[in-house]
Amino acid sequence: MAKGHKDKVAVITGAANGLGQAFAKRLAEEGVHIAIADIGAADATVKLVQQAGRDAFVSKCDVSSPDSVAAMAADVQKHFGRADILINCAGIFPQQSFDDMTYADWKRLLGINLDSVFLCSSAFVPGMKKRGWGRIVSMSSSTVGSVVTGFVHYVSSKAGIIGFTRALASELGPHGITVNAIAPGLTKTPGAMSRAPRPGFATMDDEFESVAQFQAIKRAEVPDDLAGTISYLTSDDAAFITGQTLNVDGGRVRS
Ligand SMILES: NC(=O)c1ccc[n+]([C@@H]2O[C@H](COP(=O)([O-])OP(=O)(O)OC[C@H]3O[C@@H](n4cnc5c(N)ncnc54)[C@H](O)[C@@H]3O)[C@@H](O)[C@H]2O)c1
């Protein structure tokens, strides 16, 4: 069990599926109660958290909406009375060439992937400051360090998360709050498996196979490959690590 997790409360956005669900399961197994903030149905995640013997609370939330995030934060406060850990995981990754990208597409993606990180952090930092302890971890992406096409808005949002993480860490260090990010590689989640493969690949399985060949570890990444990093970064053991973005991608991107 990671140091300092027992009876903490974590808010995980996008925890109904994929990486967020894997993080909810892992943290619950380590003694953390979980608030799930997602627009989708979260029954499967609730079951996993309850199987681990922890409290699972769901607040339906559109993380790009200030009103919806404010309502979710009020729900969490009412139910748990606190939030010690915030994991900003909700995100979308529609593939779209720059020629086809409209300002509305850009705004929508930045709203869900980046504005959400500002809104959720703003909602929970005051309580963390009051208690003198907090952990914020947001999901960046290895695409920031890769040659990829069709993702100008997405890569911009994920690079924005790195800047946000660095800047906020500087302000919150004196308050016992760390702010970090993780940059996963292409990972087998429902979201990634259901999108169209990039040009040149017939199926998503082909794309996963090809990406793996550029990794030091030559197999497709799965959500559990990231759970240990979340556990560590949100623990007491990582109290002196802040402002960082960790590449957890099988050794593909080096930075
Ligand atoms: N899977 C990958 O290959 C990969 C790689 C790098 C980074 N990431 C990032 O990790 C995060 C999780 O990705 P995933 O693969 O688990 O995706 P996923 O599609 O499997 O799950 C994403 C979850 O976010 C929720 N969500 C979407 N829009 C929302 C909104 N407006 N408000 C609240 N919830 C919303 C969805 O309902 C879903 O439950 C994303 O930020 C993604 O960009 C994923």
Side-chain angles (χ1 to χ4, degrees), residues 19-65:
L19 299 183
Q21 184 178 78
F23 299 159
K25 177 175 182 285
R26 174 62 176 260
L27 291 183
E29 286 166 354
E30 296 185 345
V32 179
H33 301 296
I34 308 291
I36 300 158
D38 201 301
I39 37 167
D43 305 6
T45 307
V46 167
K47 209 168 162 191
L48 289 168
V49 172
Q50 289 174 344
Q51 277 167 356
R54 298 282 91 184
D55 190 356
F57 175 72
V58 180
S59 181
K60 208 151 203 171
C61 174
D62 174 354
V63 290
S64 66
S65 154

Side-chain angles (χ1 to χ4, degrees), residues 108-207:
R108 174 170 176 267
L109 188 137
L110 269 287
I112 295 171
N113 287 13
L114 186 58
D115 292 359
S116 60
V117 177
F118 170 82
L119 293 171
C120 294
S121 302
S122 300
F124 294 109
V125 161
M128 293 177 184
K129 267 187 174 173
K130 234 181 257 166
R131 290 182 295 277
W133 196 98
R135 297 284 183 270
I136 299 173
V137 183
S138 306
M139 302 313 291
S140 181
S141 164
S142 68
T143 55
V144 174
S146 311
V147 178
V148 288
T149 54
F151 285 115
V152 168
H153 47 10
Y154 180 76
V155 175
S156 301
S157 74
K158 296 301 180 181
I161 284 176
I162 295 173
F164 178 90
T165 296
R166 292 178 182 178
L168 188 61
S170 305
E171 294 202 22
L172 299 184
H175 300 280
I177 305 168
T178 65
V179 189
N180 290 292
I182 298 175
L186 182 63
T187 308
K188 288 202 164 181
T189 63
M193 292 306 288
S194 64
R195 76 161 168 75
R198 289 197 291 122
F201 299 105
T203 65
M204 276 310 293
D205 280 329
D206 291 347
E207 189 176 333

